[in-house]
Amino acid sequence: MLAKDFITKEIPVLKSFDTGEYALSLMDEYKLRHLPLVIDGVYQSLVSEKDLHTMPDPKSAIGEMMVFAPSVSEGDISMR
């Protein structure tokens, strides 16, 4: 098998109603440690495997937990 056979162009995204268990299963399936959280097609944050393992209730929706995830929006001001 060639390396190109392992490359996927499809990256799964999480939605706020997805559970921590579901997110961890996606990460395991795709061999990832981070997944983007997208609401209405707009990037909100990056959810890490570590964040999910610290959830008090992995069966709850990830939108209910506070996730630290730095991001930059189109209208943000540059701090040079």
Side-chain angles (χ1 to χ4, degrees):
M1 188 173 281
L2 299 174
K4 71 176 184 162
D5 296 328
F6 291 103
I7 298 172
T8 180
K9 294 179 182 175
E10 210 174 290
I11 297 175
V13 297
L14 298 171
K15 297 174 182 69
S16 61
F17 56 82
D18 289 332
T19 66
E21 286 180 337
Y22 175 74
L24 286 168
S25 71
L26 271 181
M27 288 178 180
D28 184 50
E29 180 181 341
Y30 285 88
K31 308 296 184 235
L32 300 170
R33 292 195 178 171
H34 296 83
L35 283 173
L37 174 64
V38 176
I39 299 175
D40 296 327
V42 178
Y43 170 83
Q44 299 297 310
S45 64
L46 194 61
V47 179
S48 75
E49 186 178 36
K50 183 178 176 181
D51 292 333
L52 296 169
H53 283 296
T54 62
M55 285 180 72
D57 181 11
K59 294 181 182 187
S60 64
I62 58 174
E64 296 173 6
M65 67 180 227
M66 181 175 262
V67 178
F68 170 74
S71 66
V72 178
S73 299
E74 184 178 331
D76 288 351
I77 298 171
S78 173
M79 303 290 283
R80 292 185 198 205

